[in-house]
Amino acid sequence: MLFRSNLLRLNLNCLLVSSILLLVFTSDLLGQEILSIPYTSQELNPKELQPSDAYGTSLSFAVAKRDEAGSPNLVTMYFAWDENYLYGQAQVKDAELIKLKSGNDHPNLNLNDAIEFFIDPLLDSKGRMDINDYQIIFSVGGDVAVLKGDKAKLALPDERAPKEIGTATIAIHHEVFVQGTINQTQDIDSGFIIQFSIPWAALGVMPKSGHQFKMDVCLDDMDEMLNLDTMREQSYLRGFSYSNWVGDNDFSYPDRWRKATLIGRPNLIDGYLKHNANQATYWIIAFVIGSAIVIGFQYYRIRQLAMVPVKSKIQQSPLLHFVEQEGIEPNNLVDPVFETLRDFVLKNLDRDLSPTDLAQQLHISLRQLQRIFQEQMESTPSRFVLLIKLEQAALLLQNRSANISQVGYELGFNDAAYFSRVFKKYQGISPSAYKERFK
């Protein structure tokens, strides 16, 4: 009698699963056999919980309890892709979170609450997994196991699932976000979320819009704390349920997996940045540094231009008086060092002379030089050099054959436009207009 009661309850649960799956998948399977996975322009970091709308493709399915009355677990899967990764997010509603086995590549991770993901990336398998196919188990405890089609087992005709664990060198990035407590049977949990990104390169795929492959998703649901080392298979299956997204309980066969296709494509900027990430970074850094140099140079030019005096406003300046005299009288009270400095500047008109250059010419300190200029010329060494050059420019431009750009270069101005702005501010007239006066 007890056996019949349990059998009846099992049949009712199976009927419930079939009804839910029929509602969820009838239109999908009949009208949309191929699952479309959209392109995403943002890199979805599995370590950070992503909103579901960051993906774009979703599928929902239910897995009923085999031996208990109650609501089935619900799974919603989300997928997206870019040039580097296939992204996935599994949202699982489960009131009892159980982890019985731990350790990466543990052969029994599927006996935990877990998500199993199968993929035939090249769409080249038939009834059995080949060496290009993968089964990846993501456990609620954060462990992962990767199984790959095994060539040796594939040669055995009686081997229904020719795969081996721990032989695949595939770097899978994943994270588990637990909504509840694991192995605490006294409370009611909400479930867990698994996010993963699988590199296309490890799958041997160059992704592009239109690429097709097959995949399958299964939920493993354990609801009892059991010692698997002492339990027989018939015993621990009482608390264990599993199913894929079409209600199948036997899912290691690629011909039963669902076909998927990549849709969408990156825009030109996204494509370049993702394919040339390092080069793009270097260019960005170079652009920032170059822009900073240009801005800094322009700021320096603006400050220098602001320091250029207007000749009509410094007519009483001792410095201008000295520069225009082209010499000093023996009884002049001006320090004779200025004659020495003028000769030095006139011999080096094409150089960008600094106050330090002048101080070294006199074998004195820069501070001493600045004090001499301030006390006797009421000016600075820099203005001294500039006025000599600008007065020489005026003399050179009086020559009919003089070229304005050439005059600027001969006086140490590497930019003809900047020379014209400096000359115009000092003389109150542009070099070309000044030159016209002497035609």
Side-chain angles (χ1 to χ4, degrees):
M1 186 67 180
L2 180 60
F3 173 77
R4 290 182 179 178
S5 176
N6 289 336
L7 181 61
L8 177 60
R9 185 165 55 189
L10 176 60
N11 289 335
L12 288 174
N13 281 326
C14 290
L15 179 61
L16 175 62
V17 174
S18 300
S19 299
I20 292 175
L21 291 172
L22 181 63
L23 290 174
V24 174
F25 292 106
T26 295
S27 61
D28 183 59
L29 291 176
L30 292 178
Q32 298 179 1
E33 291 187 357
I34 299 179
L35 176 66
S36 296
I37 299 179
Y39 175 85
T40 177
S41 59
Q42 64 183 92
E43 185 170 338
L44 303 177
N45 183 2
K47 301 298 182 181
E48 301 175 1
L49 184 59
Q50 304 289 339
S52 57
D53 59 8
Y55 294 84
T57 294
S58 65
L59 284 173
S60 298
F61 64 99
V63 177
K65 312 294 185 183
R66 285 196 168 194
D67 302 300
E68 301 176 13
S71 301
N73 291 348
L74 296 177
V75 182
T76 304
M77 287 296 309
Y78 299 90
F79 294 100
W81 72 281
D82 65 13
E83 295 86 350
N84 299 315
Y85 297 102
L86 172 64
Y87 298 105
Q89 183 190 78
Q91 297 184 7
V92 181
K93 301 298 182 183
D94 188 350
E96 192 67 64
L97 301 182
I98 299 294
K99 180 189 74 171
L100 300 181
K101 292 295 182 180
S102 61
N104 290 328
D105 285 332
H106 193 288
N108 295 128
L109 279 186
N110 63 316
L111 299 181
N112 301 327
D113 286 332
I115 287 288
E116 297 187 45
F117 179 71
F118 298 80
I119 186 168
D120 172 14
L122 303 180
L123 198 62
D124 60 352
S125 299
K126 303 300 181 182
R128 298 189 299 166
M129 292 176 61
D130 66 18
I131 59 174
N132 298 314
D133 301 338
Y134 292 88
Q135 174 187 358
I136 306 169
I137 305 173
F138 300 98
S139 167
V140 69
D143 299 309
V144 63
V146 180
L147 295 89
K148 184 180 181 182
D150 184 81
K151 186 175 182 180
K153 291 183 178 181
L154 193 62
L156 303 175
D158 295 332
E159 184 69 45
R160 297 183 62 203
K163 56 188 177 182
E164 189 63 49
I165 194 169
T167 60
T169 56
I170 177 171
I172 299 174
H173 308 287
H174 76 289
E175 190 68 33
V176 179
F177 302 88
V178 176
Q179 300 168 326
T181 55
I182 298 177
N183 294 346
Q184 297 294 327
T185 57
Q186 298 84 2
D187 63 0
I188 298 178
D189 304 313
S190 297
F192 59 96
I193 296 175
I194 293 176
Q195 292 184 161
F196 61 85
S197 60
I198 303 174
W200 290 114
L203 299 175
V205 172
M206 290 289 290
K208 61 180 180 179
S209 183
H211 175 75
Q212 292 189 345
F213 56 97
K214 279 188 175 181
M215 63 181 184
D216 198 8
V217 177
C218 163
L219 173 67
D220 298 319
D221 177 36
M222 175 61 76
D223 284 325
E224 293 187 21
M225 287 295 299
L226 302 173
N227 185 345
L228 300 183
D229 296 328
T230 60
M231 301 294 290
R232 293 176 303 171
E233 183 177 359
Q234 292 82 356
S235 298
Y236 68 70
L237 283 180
R238 289 181 308 183
F240 184 55
S241 305
Y242 53 94
S243 175
N244 71 353
W245 51 18
V246 293
D248 198 349
N249 299 119
D250 202 358
F251 30 76
S252 291
Y253 309 107
D255 56 353
R256 301 182 186 180
W257 298 350
R258 184 166 186 170
K259 187 179 289 186
T261 185
L262 304 181
I263 62 172
R265 53 175 51 87
N267 58 46
L268 292 178
I269 296 177
D270 287 335
Y272 176 81
L273 290 178
K274 288 190 175 184
H275 283 295
N276 305 275
N278 292 334
Q279 185 178 0
T281 300
Y282 296 146
W283 277 110
I284 291 173
I285 293 174
F287 174 78
V288 171
I289 294 175
S291 298
I293 293 174
V294 171
I295 292 172
F297 183 69
Q298 292 298 328
Y299 177 73
Y300 170 78
R301 282 278 183 86
I302 292 172
R303 288 198 61 185
Q304 290 295 101
L305 189 60
M307 295 172 61
V308 175
V310 177
K311 185 175 181 179
S312 61
K313 294 182 179 180
I314 60 168
Q315 291 297 318
Q316 303 304 317
S317 167
L319 179 60
L320 180 60
H321 181 69
F322 171 79
V323 170
E324 288 184 323
Q325 273 189 331
E326 296 189 6
I328 57 174
E329 300 295 334
N331 58 350
N332 199 305
L333 297 178
V334 177
D335 196 315
V337 298
F338 292 105
E339 188 67 32
T340 302
L341 291 177
R342 177 161 51 190
D343 291 341
F344 175 67
V345 174
L346 290 173
K347 292 177 181 179
N348 296 275
L349 287 173
D350 60 337
R351 291 179 55 190
D352 185 16
L353 295 174
S354 67
T356 301
D357 294 326
L358 302 187
Q360 291 177 347
Q361 182 67 19
L362 296 176
H363 304 290
I364 61 176
S365 68
L366 178 59
R367 186 179 294 275
Q368 286 179 289
L369 180 69
Q370 292 171 333
R371 186 174 65 251
I372 292 172
F373 268 90
Q374 186 61 42
E375 291 176 352
Q376 299 191 42
M377 293 292 183
E378 300 177 1
S379 189
T380 64
S382 296
R383 180 169 289 189
F384 174 79
V385 174
L386 179 61
L387 292 192
I388 291 176
K389 288 189 174 187
L390 290 175
E391 289 296 328
Q392 288 298 308
L395 291 174
L396 292 172
L397 289 172
Q398 293 174 21
N399 187 333
R400 291 183 179 182
S401 62
N403 179 281
I404 295 175
S405 297
Q406 187 62 36
V407 169
Y409 292 141
E410 289 179 3
L411 297 175
F413 292 89
N414 295 323
D415 185 343
Y418 179 66
F419 165 68
S420 295
R421 289 197 295 271
V422 172
F423 185 90
K424 183 176 181 179
K425 183 177 180 184
Y426 177 66
Q427 293 285 1
I429 186 173
S430 67
S432 57
Y434 184 85
K435 192 172 183 295
E436 285 291 325
R437 289 180 175 179
F438 299 94
K439 281 189 175 181

